[in-house]
Amino acid sequence: MLEKILLLFCLSSALAENLCRPDASNGYKVRLSIKRALGDEAYVWNQDEMFLFRATLAFAMRNHLSGQDFQVSNILVCDETPRVSFWFIVTSPLDATRPVGKEDVEEAIRKSRSRINSAFLLTDQTLEFIGIIPTLAAPVSPDTPPWLIVFGVVMGSVGAGIIVLLVYPVVHKRLKKDEEEEELEEEEGEEETRRVKTMENGAAGDGAHNLSFTDDERFTQM
Amino acid sequence: MAETADSGVKERAKWDNKAQYLLTSIGFAVGLGNVWRFPYLCQIYGGGAFLIPYLIALVFQGLPLLYLELAVGQRFRVGSIGVWKSISPLLGGVGIASMIVSFLVCIFYNTILSWVLWYFFHSFQNPLPWSQCPLNENRTGYNVECEKSTPVNYFWYRETLNISTDIETSGSMHWWLVVCLASAWCVVYICFIKGIESMGKAVYVTATFPYLVLTIFLIRATTLPGATDGLMYLFTPKWEILKNPQVWLDAATQIFFSLSVAFGGLISFSSYNPAKNNCERDAVIVGVINSATSIYASIPIFSILGFKATNVYNSCRMENILDLTNHFELAEQNITLENYDQWFDHLNSTYPDQVASLKLRPCDLQKFLDQSASGTGLAFIVFTEAVIEMPGSQVWAVLFFIMLFSLGLSSMFGNIEGILTPINDLKLLPNWIPHEVKTAIICMICFLTALLFTLSSGNYWVEVFNGYVGSVPLLIIAFFEIIGVVYVHGMKNFSDDIYFMTGSRPNIYWKACWMVISPLMLLVVFVAYVVVQAQKHPTYPTWNPNYDEFPETKVIPYPDWVFAIIILLCVVPVTSIPLVALYRLIRRVRSPDRGDLNNYCNEGFEIETQEQNNRRT
């Protein structure tokens, strides 16, 4: 009995290892560029990080195929290189010998891509799944194009400047003309009052009115 | 123009102070060409060695012509048409030719400024719009045209110009370009609204601001990595290039066009000077500052180009490093930029087939430094690409485009002056129209004509105008100017004029240049230029996404009707010179007692003498 269980165990692990190999039909290659992404703060890739990767992928599979309880042991990894690249294959939780289809794996990874990325502090370009093209972020397009705002400010000030420069001299001239007219009116008003004075004084209203004599007395002093 | 209300006589406008006049003349001379044409010529003609033909051309051709124009303007105190009519009525056509050339240059020059405005408006975004490709329709990838070329090229050719595949496909007018063109003309109008009173104040900013920005760029650019490579490349002289006659021709044409002589603008500017002003010193100042600005501007430009080339070189090598690391599954950063060559040799010797299959790009720094550009290519493609890599890109982009705009605006002042003053002198528009309305009419006419350049083929037309209007006619006009002053007016009369204005007669250097050297140089340059142009049917580069070797530009010849227009553009401005001379000769032949060609003949006394004659007989 014990031998049978042992044989089955050895067989299944051997089968599992046979399932995961480079260029497997249901597997994907993963490539990480940790130093490129993080520079000095790069962490060392070791088995613990690999465990996290397998757990994250199991999470992604659970997220996509709800109901199936994927475990870490369902994610098989092989062909690790110093580059930090490896192949992985996902087996079904119900039957460890049967791999999950490529399309399902791709869908699962696409759905949870940002969660997988952030688990490793990487981006779409530094955590690559060879064969799965990242969906491109939609470009930010504001409602009013910013250039129209700047254009509005510049043209508004230029237009206001033109109007001010054109209208100001006309207004200035008109104000000056009004002032001059007022002064002229005041002078004429003074003339009239003077004329009235002389008329009151006597018959000086006859003939041509000569302003130069209005201030003098009518009769010279002796 | 100042008006005295009592007598109703219009006094001629004058500068508020000498600084305004100098700044306006310097601003007119210093234009976009100083920033984007001179560094390019320096680069392709052997760096430091190019300065020799350039300075020789300045001393023997540029300065004499400049002094001549400033002196005649100041002496006769009228615009370009009045000056040549005063020297000899037969030469009146020279002024009209200047006016036509100024008009033609105005319309395409301001179009370039409208493009600068467009880029300026777009520099206030993060990220800069020319740094990324837009997505295609179904969001699966980037726009194909942008992918094949670069985001910078795409933004210039597609989003700004929406250029067609050749000059014959006109396409439609693009509203955004029309709007930018209207803005550019409004800015020109507001600066010119009161004639030189408003322009003289605007020029305090537009003439000095470029120097401030150039200094800021100089400091920033020389601290960028790779700047020294660019500078060494620029200034390392290659003496053997001087044997090529094309270098001398280009140096002479560059000086000539850079100083903006023969436009009539300089004559107008100096006509507002007081009668006794040292125009010799002014001419030397303007000429020297113009050349010094060219050299000064090439330092930051080349530092930035060196920085850009280094960036491209490094990213080229990083791409190769990535390919090698990925293929051979080596640990990250085993191959670095420093040990790349050793690793490459090692891998190539052990696995030559695999390395060959990777198709690595050859990265050569010299080749990237060689990629030169001038004109709009430099400003809108090369420079914008460099600015993306600099930290704080928006600030540098804004500064750069404001600098270009003020450089171009101060040159536009001279061009507009070259149109307005002759129109005022010729009294083409009636006197009761106020000056502001006259300026508005001119700006409106120029704007409507320039709408041609907002079509899809607009950029091709700008290149046509740029290449042909601003070249051959100016050489002819300058030649007639110098012959007119030195031989028709007479060297002795001109020396007397200068003695009256500056207090000393011109020395042997000026006389030798005016009488012999400069006309000879102009003639040689003109003939050589025409010969070089006529040797091949002119071609132009086009942006054609369907071309096999896209993103390389497809070079095709101009169609015949465009070629005819080119000939017209060269010939029509200068036809006024013989036409007016002919007209005056015919009038002189018809009525010999009037129309005396003597400069000192005053028509005010002629009628009296006729009456006296009649009384006597």
Side-chain angles (χ1 to χ4, degrees):
Chain A
M1 184 62 184
L2 207 63
E3 293 94 14
K4 273 197 200 152
I5 299 171
L6 212 64
L7 197 67
L8 235 97
F9 185 72
C10 289
L11 207 66
S12 61
S13 60
L15 263 172
E17 278 170 21
N18 275 342
L19 279 177
C20 175
R21 58 183 193 285
D23 299 324
S25 54
N26 285 315
Y28 277 102
K29 180 169 180 180
V30 182
R31 190 190 293 144
L32 287 93
S33 309
I34 308 170
K35 287 199 188 143
R36 187 153 65 107
L38 300 170
D40 290 331
E41 294 165 25
Y43 47 82
V44 178
W45 185 261
N46 51 24
Q47 286 308 307
D48 302 329
E49 305 282 350
M50 182 57 85
F51 180 80
L52 178 60
F53 179 81
R54 294 166 71 198
T56 323
L57 222 56
F59 158 75
M61 294 306 300
R62 283 196 193 200
N63 215 6
H64 177 58
L65 300 169
S66 48
Q68 300 194 35
D69 273 348
F70 285 90
Q71 302 292 332
V72 175
S73 50
N74 290 120
I75 315 293
L76 306 170
V77 168
C78 53
D79 196 33
E80 285 185 56
T81 66
R83 173 68 181 83
V84 192
S85 69
F86 47 85
W87 283 83
F88 75 91
I89 194 166
V90 182
T91 57
S92 165
L94 308 165
D95 181 4
T97 54
R98 197 166 52 88
V100 177
K102 215 168 172 169
E103 304 77 29
D104 287 325
V105 177
E106 180 169 340
E107 264 311 300
I109 291 175
R110 257 195 227 271
K111 262 178 149 175
S112 314
R113 188 67 187 263
S114 55
R115 298 294 295 273
I116 303 175
N117 283 351
S118 52
F120 291 95
L121 306 173
L122 297 174
T123 64
D124 282 348
Q125 283 76 38
T126 41
L127 171 55
E128 297 167 77
F129 288 87
I130 313 294
I132 304 180
I133 311 166
T135 42
L136 301 161
V140 176
S141 52
D143 296 323
T144 38
W147 77 270
L148 276 180
I149 300 175
V150 184
F151 164 75
V153 166
V154 168
M155 282 317 292
S157 40
V158 167
I162 291 179
I163 294 176
V164 161
L165 283 174
L166 283 178
V167 167
Y168 177 72
V170 175
V171 168
H172 190 68
K173 239 191 251 178
R174 205 172 291 168
L175 279 174
K176 244 174 114 179
K177 226 176 20 171
D178 286 342
E179 277 178 28
E180 284 181 21
E181 279 181 22
E182 277 179 31
E183 282 181 25
L184 271 173
E185 279 179 29
E186 282 177 25
E187 283 184 27
E188 279 177 19
E190 283 177 23
E191 286 177 34
E192 281 182 20
T193 47
R194 282 189 218 128
R195 206 181 297 172
V196 167
K197 263 195 212 160
T198 46
M199 283 180 91
E200 281 176 0
N201 283 345
D206 305 329
H209 174 62
N210 192 342
L211 269 175
S212 54
F213 290 103
T214 46
D215 286 331
D216 287 349
E217 289 180 350
R218 230 186 135 237
F219 297 108
T220 49
Q221 272 185 339
M222 296 270 202
Chain B
M1 293 232 200
E3 284 190 44
T4 45
D6 322 57
S7 54
V9 168
K10 273 198 179 145
E11 280 180 18
R12 192 166 185 79
K14 51 189 200 322
W15 301 109
D16 288 343
N17 50 46
K18 184 79 181 282
Q20 263 189 11
Y21 162 63
L22 277 179
L23 280 178
T24 312
S25 303
I26 291 173
F28 183 30
V30 172
L32 294 171
N34 294 68
V35 164
W36 72 30
R37 179 106 181 116
F38 176 80
Y40 166 75
L41 287 176
C42 229
Q43 182 188 5
I44 60 172
Y45 286 135
F50 180 70
L51 287 176
I52 294 184
Y54 184 72
L55 289 173
I56 291 179
L58 173 71
V59 163
F60 289 111
Q61 186 194 346
L63 287 179
L65 275 171
L66 195 58
Y67 186 15
L68 189 109
E69 283 216 349
L70 294 183
V72 294
Q74 192 175 305
R75 178 69 186 93
F76 292 100
R77 306 181 58 78
V78 274
S80 61
I81 292 191
V83 159
W84 303 114
K85 246 181 18 184
S86 309
I87 290 184
S88 159
L90 290 180
L91 278 180
V94 175
I96 297 182
S98 287
M99 185 174 82
I100 299 179
V101 168
S102 286
F103 171 72
L104 290 174
V105 168
C106 248
I107 49 181
F108 83 81
Y109 207 79
N110 219 21
T111 310
I112 299 180
L113 287 188
S114 70
W115 295 337
V116 171
L117 265 188
W118 166 263
Y119 269 81
F120 169 69
F121 292 149
H122 277 85
S123 305
F124 287 94
Q125 293 172 340
N126 185 25
L128 290 170
W130 54 82
S131 60
Q132 302 166 332
C133 274
L135 302 176
N136 60 15
E137 281 99 35
N138 40 10
R139 302 263 189 94
T140 52
Y142 292 115
N143 182 298
V144 172
E145 189 182 345
C146 188
E147 278 267 285
K148 284 203 210 164
S149 59
T150 61
V152 174
N153 273 331
Y154 179 77
F155 185 75
W156 168 235
Y157 284 111
R158 191 55 51 211
E159 296 198 20
T160 307
L161 299 174
N162 197 11
I163 206 166
S164 58
T165 50
D166 54 53
I167 200 171
E168 303 192 81
T169 329
S170 295
S172 56
M173 274 194 236
H174 301 306
W175 67 269
W176 59 92
L177 289 178
V178 174
V179 154
C180 288
L181 189 67
S183 334
W185 277 109
C186 282
V187 174
V188 169
Y189 178 59
I190 195 180
C191 292
F192 238 91
I193 203 167
K194 294 245 175 265
I196 67 162
E197 287 169 22
S198 54
M199 194 230 315
K201 304 205 174 31
V203 94
Y204 283 127
V205 172
T206 59
T208 52
F209 190 70
Y211 290 98
L212 179 68
V213 176
L214 276 177
T215 311
I216 295 176
F217 264 106
L218 181 73
I219 300 173
R220 170 76 264 222
T222 43
T223 55
L224 288 170
T228 36
D229 289 318
L231 282 176
M232 275 196 327
Y233 184 76
L234 170 69
F235 285 120
T236 314
K238 301 180 194 66
W239 303 106
E240 58 279 352
I241 291 196
L242 289 181
K243 293 188 209 133
N244 180 3
Q246 181 78 18
V247 179
W248 297 86
L249 175 63
D250 273 333
T253 46
Q254 171 63 16
I255 270 289
F256 180 72
F257 301 135
S258 176
L259 283 172
S260 311
V261 293
F263 279 95
L266 285 170
I267 298 182
S268 304
F269 287 149
S270 64
S271 72
Y272 300 123
N273 270 338
K276 299 208 188 224
N277 173 45
N278 190 349
C279 45
E280 176 180 6
R281 212 179 45 189
D282 297 340
V284 173
I285 289 177
V286 172
V288 165
I289 289 188
N290 180 51
S291 297
T293 308
S294 295
I295 300 175
Y296 186 60
S298 47
I299 302 179
I301 297 282
F302 265 90
S303 307
I304 291 177
L305 289 181
F307 161 73
K308 177 175 177 295
T310 308
N311 265 7
V312 174
Y313 175 61
N314 282 344
S315 54
C316 174
R317 287 198 301 166
M318 285 304 294
E319 263 179 41
N320 289 354
I321 289 176
L322 202 63
D323 286 341
L324 283 173
T325 317
N326 285 348
H327 184 84
F328 289 105
E329 306 288 4
L330 307 162
E332 265 193 293
Q333 298 187 352
N334 264 9
I335 312 182
T336 59
L337 287 173
E338 287 83 29
N339 57 22
Y340 170 71
D341 295 316
Q342 294 140 305
W343 268 100
F344 181 73
D345 293 332
H346 166 73
L347 288 170
N348 207 12
S349 48
T350 30
Y351 310 102
D353 306 322
Q354 295 189 35
V355 171
S357 72
L358 284 175
K359 291 199 181 51
L360 297 175
R361 240 176 82 187
C363 303
D364 181 10
L365 182 61
Q366 281 302 310
K367 199 167 81 108
F368 294 129
L369 281 170
D370 272 336
Q371 281 171 356
S372 53
S374 78
T376 52
L378 176 70
F380 299 125
I381 299 182
V382 171
F383 207 84
T384 44
E385 199 158 358
V387 147
I388 299 175
E389 314 284 339
M390 292 161 69
S393 330
Q394 282 79 8
V395 171
W396 305 114
V398 166
L399 274 179
F400 179 66
F401 290 118
I402 294 188
M403 176 186 80
L404 283 188
F405 190 72
S406 21
L407 277 173
L409 193 64
S410 51
S411 299
M412 274 301 288
F413 292 156
N415 283 326
I416 299 272
E417 188 67 25
I419 307 176
L420 270 180
T421 315
I423 287 188
N424 280 332
D425 291 342
L426 274 182
K427 301 197 177 26
L428 280 179
L429 295 171
N431 245 0
W432 51 267
I433 300 184
H435 183 258
E436 291 85 357
V437 178
K438 277 190 209 165
T439 316
I441 294 176
I442 302 290
C443 287
M444 184 58 75
I445 295 178
C446 292
F447 166 67
L448 291 173
T449 323
L451 285 178
L452 157 77
F453 301 120
T454 57
L455 298 171
S456 286
S457 52
N459 189 33
Y460 300 130
W461 284 109
V462 168
E463 290 302 318
V464 165
F465 273 65
N466 193 14
Y468 297 104
V469 164
S471 57
V472 168
L474 288 175
L475 288 167
I476 300 178
I477 295 173
F479 181 74
F480 277 101
E481 281 188 0
I482 207 169
I483 297 292
V485 170
V486 170
Y487 293 108
V488 175
H489 186 54
M491 197 64 224
K492 182 167 182 322
N493 286 334
F494 192 50
S495 298
D496 289 339
D497 294 334
I498 291 183
Y499 178 67
F500 169 69
M501 290 190 292
T502 66
S504 61
R505 294 183 185 279
N507 56 30
I508 187 74
Y509 154 66
W510 295 115
K511 283 201 178 139
C513 284
W514 283 329
M515 295 183 73
V516 178
I517 304 181
S518 299
L520 210 63
M521 273 186 83
L522 272 176
L523 201 62
V524 167
V525 165
F526 170 66
V527 168
Y529 197 85
V530 170
V531 162
V532 164
Q533 294 285 329
Q535 268 174 359
K536 48 180 174 42
H537 194 88
T539 57
Y540 66 111
T542 61
W543 183 259
N544 191 349
N546 300 323
Y547 184 45
D548 301 326
E549 291 172 40
F550 186 75
E552 297 292 323
T553 50
K554 184 176 177 192
V555 176
I556 52 179
Y558 281 118
D560 287 332
W561 63 277
V562 174
F563 194 59
I565 291 184
I566 291 177
I567 305 281
L568 274 179
L569 282 175
C570 292
V571 162
V572 160
V574 291
T575 49
S576 57
I577 302 180
L579 278 179
V580 167
L582 218 68
Y583 170 69
R584 295 266 176 207
L585 274 176
I586 292 176
R587 260 183 55 172
R588 183 188 183 201
V589 162
R590 287 238 184 103
S591 44
D593 39 59
R594 294 201 61 206
D596 199 331
L597 298 174
N598 189 345
N599 180 26
Y600 297 101
C601 177
N602 189 343
E603 280 188 358
F605 292 99
E606 267 197 326
I607 303 170
E608 284 185 27
T609 46
Q610 274 219 322
E611 284 176 1
Q612 284 176 5
N613 276 340
N614 291 343
R615 258 184 258 136
R616 269 188 235 137
T617 52

Short mmCIF file of all heavy atoms in Angstrom, two decimals, chain B residues 51 75 102 111 209 211 314 396 440 471 609:
data_model
loop_
_atom_site.label_atom_id
_atom_site.label_comp_id
_atom_site.label_asym_id
_atom_site.label_seq_id
_atom_site.Cartn_x
_atom_site.Cartn_y
_atom_site.Cartn_z
N LEU B 51 34.35 79.77 -39.80
CA LEU B 51 34.36 81.16 -39.34
C LEU B 51 35.22 82.04 -40.23
O LEU B 51 34.99 83.24 -40.33
CB LEU B 51 34.87 81.22 -37.90
CG LEU B 51 33.90 80.70 -36.85
CD1 LEU B 51 34.53 80.72 -35.48
CD2 LEU B 51 32.63 81.51 -36.85
N ARG B 75 20.52 110.21 -44.40
CA ARG B 75 20.77 111.44 -45.14
C ARG B 75 19.52 111.96 -45.79
O ARG B 75 19.20 113.14 -45.70
CB ARG B 75 21.85 111.16 -46.20
CG ARG B 75 22.16 112.35 -47.07
CD ARG B 75 22.87 113.42 -46.26
NE ARG B 75 23.05 114.63 -47.04
CZ ARG B 75 22.22 115.64 -47.05
NH1 ARG B 75 21.11 115.60 -46.34
NH2 ARG B 75 22.47 116.71 -47.76
N SER B 102 9.82 92.67 -49.37
CA SER B 102 9.44 92.71 -47.95
C SER B 102 8.06 92.10 -47.75
O SER B 102 7.84 91.35 -46.80
CB SER B 102 9.42 94.15 -47.44
OG SER B 102 10.71 94.63 -47.27
N THR B 111 4.11 83.09 -40.96
CA THR B 111 3.57 81.74 -40.87
C THR B 111 4.47 80.89 -39.99
O THR B 111 3.98 80.11 -39.17
CB THR B 111 3.47 81.12 -42.27
OG1 THR B 111 2.80 82.02 -43.13
CG2 THR B 111 2.72 79.82 -42.21
N PHE B 209 15.20 89.92 -24.99
CA PHE B 209 14.81 88.65 -24.39
C PHE B 209 15.53 87.44 -24.97
O PHE B 209 15.94 86.54 -24.22
CB PHE B 209 13.29 88.48 -24.52
CG PHE B 209 12.74 87.35 -23.75
CD1 PHE B 209 12.70 87.39 -22.38
CD2 PHE B 209 12.27 86.21 -24.39
CE1 PHE B 209 12.20 86.33 -21.65
CE2 PHE B 209 11.77 85.15 -23.67
CZ PHE B 209 11.73 85.21 -22.29
N TYR B 211 18.52 87.12 -25.92
CA TYR B 211 19.86 86.98 -25.33
C TYR B 211 19.78 86.39 -23.93
O TYR B 211 20.60 85.55 -23.55
CB TYR B 211 20.56 88.33 -25.29
CG TYR B 211 20.93 88.82 -26.66
CD1 TYR B 211 20.14 89.73 -27.34
CD2 TYR B 211 22.06 88.34 -27.29
CE1 TYR B 211 20.46 90.14 -28.60
CE2 TYR B 211 22.40 88.76 -28.56
CZ TYR B 211 21.59 89.65 -29.20
OH TYR B 211 21.91 90.05 -30.47
N ASN B 314 23.43 56.15 -26.40
CA ASN B 314 23.30 55.31 -25.21
C ASN B 314 22.07 54.42 -25.28
O ASN B 314 22.13 53.24 -24.91
CB ASN B 314 23.25 56.16 -23.95
CG ASN B 314 24.61 56.64 -23.54
OD1 ASN B 314 25.61 56.11 -24.01
ND2 ASN B 314 24.65 57.64 -22.68
N TRP B 396 11.82 74.41 -20.41
CA TRP B 396 12.76 74.65 -21.51
C TRP B 396 12.03 74.85 -22.82
O TRP B 396 12.42 75.68 -23.64
CB TRP B 396 13.77 73.51 -21.59
CG TRP B 396 14.46 73.30 -20.30
CD1 TRP B 396 14.38 72.21 -19.48
CD2 TRP B 396 15.32 74.23 -19.63
NE1 TRP B 396 15.14 72.40 -18.36
CE2 TRP B 396 15.73 73.62 -18.42
CE3 TRP B 396 15.80 75.51 -19.93
CZ2 TRP B 396 16.56 74.24 -17.52
CZ3 TRP B 396 16.64 76.12 -19.03
CH2 TRP B 396 17.02 75.49 -17.84
N ALA B 440 -3.65 98.36 -40.09
CA ALA B 440 -4.58 97.25 -40.01
C ALA B 440 -4.87 96.69 -41.40
O ALA B 440 -4.96 95.47 -41.58
CB ALA B 440 -5.88 97.69 -39.35
N SER B 471 16.24 85.17 -51.65
CA SER B 471 17.61 84.94 -52.11
C SER B 471 17.95 85.77 -53.33
O SER B 471 18.56 86.83 -53.21
CB SER B 471 17.84 83.46 -52.37
OG SER B 471 16.91 83.00 -53.32
N THR B 609 10.94 130.12 -63.27
CA THR B 609 11.82 130.39 -64.42
C THR B 609 11.05 130.31 -65.71
O THR B 609 11.28 131.06 -66.64
CB THR B 609 12.99 129.41 -64.45
OG1 THR B 609 12.48 128.11 -64.24
CG2 THR B 609 14.01 129.77 -63.40
#
